Amino acid sequence: MKILTFKKGLYPPHHKSFSEAFETKVINPNVDDMLIYPMSQHIGTPCTPVVEVGDRVLVGQKIADSDAFLSSPIHATVSGTVDKFDTALLPTGLTSPAIYIRTDGLMEEDPGINHAYDYKSMTKDEILATIRGSGLVGLGGAGFPTHIKLNPPPGKKVDSIIVNAAECEPFLTTDHRVLLEETERILLGLMIMLSLFPGSKGYVGIETNKMDGIQAMEAMCQKEPFKGNISVCALDPKYPQGAEKQLIYAITGREVPSGGIPADIGCIVNNVDTVISVHRALYRGRPIMRKIVTITGGAAKNPGNYKIRMGMRYIDLLNQVGGFKEEPYKLIAGGPMMGNSMYTLDVPMTKLSQALLCLTKAEAANVEKELSCIRCGKCVSACPMYLMPLELNHFSLVNDLESFKKGGGMDCIECGSCSFTCPSKRHLIQSIRIKRREVLAERAKK
């Protein structure tokens, strides 16, 4: 078996076999009394409500949308009554306008959903409109609207569609579970995407710390109609193997140019759960309403993967699955490398939610203060984007925006490899992330 990889990167402990989360099937928790739907659940323009306070809504009913190009609608995941419009806290620490829906326990579904489509008889525009109508965005955490990613600018010839099942973040195991439990649906969803680009080939990238997932996918790829159209690529379990540009290089040997997009070199990358949701939108007429999240860490009483309905709060899910077995030292929404530390669990889960890490003091890095840079170059050696994080950190701290941009700060993928490997425990990625947000805000104003 040939194992593919990219240049640089590092090997943090992956913790994939932590307790029961890796080997236990996905569990469906109960629905709460009140669900919260933030209007910011994707990259782009936030949605606005299309319902009013007091309205009764049904499962799968559209409750928010936007006319903006870069946006994606939001659907109710329960039946109930619109209780109020208010703000909600996001895992990033920011707030967003939100719709609060009080459930009625009936789970009555909108009659407009559950319509199966024959995608082979549909035009490309019809398929993309159906995907857009399902509210689907990148479920790996980026949140880029899928219908836009699958419709690159004119002149971009796409010949490779890559399913990202690398799951390189330590502790996270949701991709592993869907590889085993929804193998055929992944490939059916990929076939829909391939139909949009005649002559294109499909690839499924999986790290070798999930060998059973590789074997399950390879066996399915030998069946019709997948045989000859889709290849399984075994990847070195190196971080950040699942980053879009690194995954493309590992599988195709192509490099996305600075400031470019994967379609510039003929590639499109989608998270494995996103691909399943494409299948669900076309084969079953179901909008995006559920998400699989990992709860794990030494402080979690019952680690595992849970299929939640969007709008549930982290605290409600945690209470349902047993809570803590000891007081957590740190709570992180997402993975330890790119996730956000949380000071409260009174936060709704959205399309972008991936995990809740409940870390003990022994598991969490306890850095009281950063030390001076010793110019060792370890951050440079680890950076998969060939940047100089120590310099970008300096430009950020002295507020030198122009030097930050000239130094390639906007090419940073915010993987956190620099901070992980720094012996002085400098807050490299934090300072770089702040300056990147400033640049993006500046561009938005223009």
Side-chain angles (χ1 to χ4, degrees):
M1 176 185 294
K2 184 178 181 181
I3 299 177
L4 307 175
T5 192
F6 62 99
K7 298 176 181 177
K8 295 196 174 187
L10 43 82
Y11 293 90
H14 57 76
H15 295 290
K16 293 296 183 183
S17 57
F18 192 94
S19 192
E20 296 86 10
F22 192 69
E23 298 179 354
T24 304
K25 288 187 176 182
V26 174
I27 300 168
N28 290 283
N30 297 322
V31 176
D32 299 304
D33 293 333
M34 180 75 76
L35 277 79
I36 307 169
Y37 302 87
M39 297 294 95
S40 295
Q41 297 195 33
H42 51 263
I43 290 176
T45 304
C47 291
T48 55
V50 296
V51 291
E52 301 289 342
V53 173
D55 286 354
R56 183 166 187 263
V57 298
L58 304 176
V59 176
Q61 179 180 332
K62 184 169 71 173
I63 57 174
D65 204 348
S66 170
D67 293 331
F69 170 72
L70 193 60
S71 191
S72 185
I74 298 169
H75 299 79
T77 59
V78 294
S79 60
T81 304
V82 177
D83 189 74
K84 62 179 179 178
F85 298 146
D86 204 342
T87 58
L89 184 65
L90 303 176
T92 58
L94 301 175
T95 58
S96 166
I99 299 174
Y100 287 67
I101 294 179
R102 188 171 298 281
T103 60
D104 58 17
L106 300 177
M107 299 302 287
E108 185 178 350
E109 297 196 340
D110 186 334
I113 67 172
N114 298 322
H115 173 71
Y117 297 87
D118 178 12
Y119 77 90
K120 294 180 181 179
S121 65
M122 297 168 69
T123 66
K124 180 176 181 178
D125 287 344
E126 289 172 337
I127 293 174
L128 293 174
T130 302
I131 293 173
R132 199 267 178 199
S134 74
L136 184 56
V137 303
L139 299 180
F144 193 85
T146 303
H147 68 283
I148 298 177
K149 180 177 280 192
L150 292 175
N151 189 26
K156 309 293 184 185
K157 181 172 174 56
V158 172
D159 58 26
S160 301
I161 299 182
I162 299 171
V163 178
N164 185 354
E167 199 166 43
C168 61
E169 272 272 10
F171 286 100
L172 273 58
T173 54
T174 57
D175 289 358
H176 172 249
R177 292 313 315 170
V178 298
L179 284 169
L180 299 179
E181 297 179 32
E182 302 196 55
T183 315
E184 184 176 16
R185 290 178 180 174
I186 295 169
L187 298 185
L188 288 172
L190 179 54
M191 291 294 286
I192 295 172
M193 294 180 173
L194 291 172
S195 72
L196 300 175
F197 305 95
S200 59
K201 292 292 185 180
Y203 302 89
V204 184
I206 310 170
E207 287 189 339
T208 55
N209 57 8
K210 295 176 277 293
M211 283 303 301
D212 50 355
I214 292 176
Q215 293 164 0
M217 192 59 66
E218 286 182 332
M220 188 62 68
C221 282
Q222 296 306 309
K223 301 179 180 179
E224 297 295 340
F226 316 121
K227 190 173 183 179
N229 293 315
I230 301 170
S231 301
V232 179
C233 300
L235 305 171
D236 188 20
K238 181 167 67 171
Y239 185 83
Q241 188 72 260
E244 191 172 63
K245 295 178 181 179
Q246 283 61 45
L247 184 63
I248 290 172
Y249 180 84
I251 291 177
T252 70
R254 305 172 191 173
E255 294 188 17
V256 179
S258 176
I261 60 174
D264 292 334
I265 55 171
C267 298
I268 288 178
V269 180
N270 280 286
N271 170 265
V272 63
D273 204 19
T274 305
V275 179
I276 293 172
S277 296
V278 168
H279 166 272
R280 188 176 293 111
L282 272 298
Y283 276 75
R284 300 177 58 199
R286 304 284 289 183
I288 178 68
M289 296 185 289
R290 67 100 181 105
K291 189 78 192 287
I292 301 173
V293 298
T294 301
I295 292 184
T296 189
K301 188 171 184 179
N302 293 304
N305 290 298
Y306 298 89
K307 185 181 292 186
I308 59 95
R309 288 185 177 259
M310 257 84 80
M312 286 184 67
R313 297 183 305 158
Y314 284 91
I315 186 63
D316 293 328
L317 173 60
L318 189 70
N319 288 338
Q320 278 197 45
V321 301
F324 303 120
K325 64 181 180 184
E326 65 176 87
E327 188 68 22
Y329 182 78
K330 179 174 284 189
L331 297 168
I332 300 176
M337 300 296 288
M338 297 185 69
N340 295 288
S341 295
M342 303 176 73
Y343 65 88
T344 177
L345 294 179
D346 188 11
V347 178
M349 288 176 282
T350 69
K351 300 175 186 181
L352 309 184
S353 299
Q354 292 180 287
L356 175 64
L357 303 191
C358 311
L359 303 181
T360 63
K361 188 171 184 177
E363 292 172 325
N366 184 17
V367 182
E368 295 185 359
K369 67 176 183 178
E370 54 184 344
L371 304 177
S372 298
C373 174
I374 60 174
R375 312 290 290 185
C376 65
K378 287 189 175 181
C379 61
V380 179
S381 298
C383 179
M385 295 303 296
Y386 288 84
L387 303 175
M388 297 188 67
L390 72 166
E391 297 292 345
L392 295 175
N393 171 245
H394 170 73
F395 296 144
S396 178
L397 295 177
V398 301
N399 199 30
D400 188 346
L401 200 61
E402 289 307 311
S403 294
F404 179 85
K405 290 188 285 188
K406 290 178 181 177
M410 299 312 293
D411 286 328
C412 172
I413 59 174
E414 300 185 20
C415 67
S417 296
C418 53
S419 292
F420 181 88
T421 195
C422 178
S424 295
K425 301 303 178 185
R426 294 191 60 76
H427 303 161
L428 301 172
I429 186 56
Q430 291 87 344
S431 65
I432 295 171
R433 182 180 288 130
I434 290 171
K435 195 56 59 178
R436 279 173 49 82
R437 298 296 181 271
E438 289 183 21
V439 176
L440 291 173
E442 179 186 70
R443 290 178 180 176
K445 287 181 181 179
K446 292 180 179 179

